Amino acid sequence: MTNTKEHLILFLGDIFFFCVALWGTLWLRYFEIPSENLFIEHLKPFSFLFIIWIIVFFIAGLYEKHTLITIKKLPQIILNAQIINGLLTFLFFYFVPSFGITPKTNVFIYVILSLGLIFVWRNYIVPIIGFRKKQNAILIGSGEEMKELLNEVNSNSRYNLKFVSFVDLNEIEHIDFQKEVIEKIYSENIRSVVVDLRNKKTEQILPNLYNLIFSNVKFIDMDKFYEEIFDKIPLSLTGYNWFIENISSSTHLAYDFLKRAMDMTAAVILGTI
């Protein structure tokens, strides 16, 4: 299935479950099946909001190519996106009262219901459709960290990635790169190459990798990939340079403040609900 078809189905599915959530909200709010007039009355303003919510989903990365990283963080991304959508909905009805409805209670119900439906849609229904079939990949690296990645990804069904081959950079002099990598990328339909860009020996194969940029192959930094998989940085990175760059309190002051503000906002909203 092409990326265009995937994006289209994701978009249509999101819109469908937005509408289902709206119908369910009216049913829960009034404890009866909503009439056609009542549903249409609410659908008109919510149609504008659907567009805004889709834009938020797009900005949040929910329409990006499904990789292992996206899958792992998907629940948190959906939660954050729906919290923002809820806030935008309140602001919309506050500043645009011309629609004649002020669905304060409805919005609370809708945010919760739509969050649940979108979560089920993205996490359980989409995989059945087949978007998350395992993609073939090649791992280029060295050392124990490469072996850990290889074993973890290939032995765990939660990931949509499978390493069909790997290249040990410590033995790069004895490897036919054209045969082991280039030819396999085409014969095995390789979609991703996870490579240790920090390793000096990678410089020897960069010209060959550069030629693959226009072959629909995605390159992933092995260190970042490792951190996403194991929720920790590779031990090989923890030298003086890393501590100087990451431990400095002033470097992340703005980031920490914004993150804390977002956490507090989310907690207040969910606590109120």
Side-chain angles (χ1 to χ4, degrees):
M1 183 174 291
T2 64
N3 289 339
T4 301
K5 289 183 179 180
E6 176 180 343
H7 294 158
L8 178 60
I9 292 178
L10 288 175
F11 168 76
L12 294 176
D14 290 339
I15 294 295
F16 173 76
F17 283 103
F18 285 158
C19 293
V20 171
L22 178 60
W23 188 92
T25 297
L26 297 175
W27 179 66
L28 290 172
R29 179 67 174 86
Y30 302 107
F31 293 103
E32 62 180 10
I33 297 177
S35 65
E36 182 179 348
N37 290 336
L38 180 64
F39 181 73
I40 292 177
E41 180 185 6
H42 284 77
L43 183 60
K44 289 178 180 179
F46 273 86
S47 296
F48 293 98
L49 290 168
F50 290 167
I51 298 174
I52 297 174
W53 295 340
I54 291 296
I55 294 174
V56 171
F57 274 21
F58 181 81
I59 296 173
L62 288 172
Y63 291 101
E64 292 180 1
K65 185 178 179 181
H66 287 296
T67 64
L68 161 138
I69 297 173
T70 305
I71 292 174
K72 183 177 180 181
K73 293 186 175 181
L74 192 56
Q76 186 63 46
I77 293 174
I78 293 174
L79 175 61
N80 293 340
Q82 284 303 89
I83 289 174
I84 294 173
N85 285 339
L87 291 173
L88 292 175
T89 301
F90 279 113
L91 293 174
F92 176 82
F93 284 110
Y94 179 80
F95 288 106
V96 188
S98 57
F99 288 100
I101 58 175
T102 55
K104 296 178 181 179
T105 303
N106 290 2
V107 170
F108 276 115
I109 299 174
Y110 183 86
V111 170
I112 298 298
L113 188 57
S114 63
L115 174 62
L117 289 174
I118 292 296
F119 180 83
V120 171
W121 156 241
R122 289 298 191 114
N123 281 275
Y124 298 105
I125 300 178
V126 168
I128 296 175
I129 297 175
F131 288 162
R132 293 180 185 169
K133 292 180 180 178
K134 284 187 176 292
Q135 298 179 2
N136 291 338
I138 289 180
L139 178 60
I140 303 176
S142 62
E144 291 298 320
E145 291 159 359
M146 182 188 73
K147 295 178 182 178
E148 289 179 41
L149 269 179
L150 185 65
N151 292 332
E152 171 65 17
V153 172
N154 282 5
S155 62
N156 198 325
S157 59
R158 67 179 292 192
Y159 307 119
N160 73 326
L161 214 63
K162 178 183 178 182
F163 291 121
V164 297
S165 179
F166 69 93
V167 174
D168 191 335
L169 290 172
N170 291 331
E171 301 177 2
I172 193 66
E173 293 83 1
H174 309 290
I175 294 176
D176 185 344
F177 192 84
Q178 178 69 28
K179 181 178 180 181
E180 293 295 326
V181 178
I182 304 300
E183 292 182 6
K184 280 191 176 181
I185 284 178
Y186 295 104
S187 63
E188 301 284 348
N189 191 27
I190 302 297
R191 302 292 297 276
S192 300
V193 176
V194 180
V195 57
D196 185 358
L197 298 174
R198 186 176 50 85
N199 194 311
K200 293 183 179 179
K201 292 186 177 181
T202 304
E203 297 179 2
Q204 302 177 30
I205 59 175
L206 283 181
N208 295 295
L209 295 178
Y210 176 80
N211 293 329
L212 297 170
I213 291 178
F214 304 102
S215 301
N216 199 29
V217 176
K218 182 176 181 178
F219 293 94
I220 304 173
D221 187 343
M222 193 184 85
D223 291 334
K224 295 180 180 178
F225 193 74
Y226 183 97
E227 185 175 351
E228 293 291 344
I229 292 289
F230 297 106
D231 290 320
K232 62 181 181 181
I233 65 169
L235 289 176
S236 60
L237 286 181
T238 55
Y240 292 114
N241 292 341
W242 185 89
F243 281 101
I244 291 175
E245 179 181 355
N246 291 275
I247 301 302
S248 173
S249 59
S250 61
T251 303
H252 302 288
L253 183 60
Y255 170 81
D256 292 339
F257 174 78
L258 290 174
K259 185 178 185 302
R260 182 60 177 170
M262 292 179 64
D263 291 342
M264 291 294 291
T265 302
V268 170
I269 294 174
L270 292 177
T272 302
I273 294 173

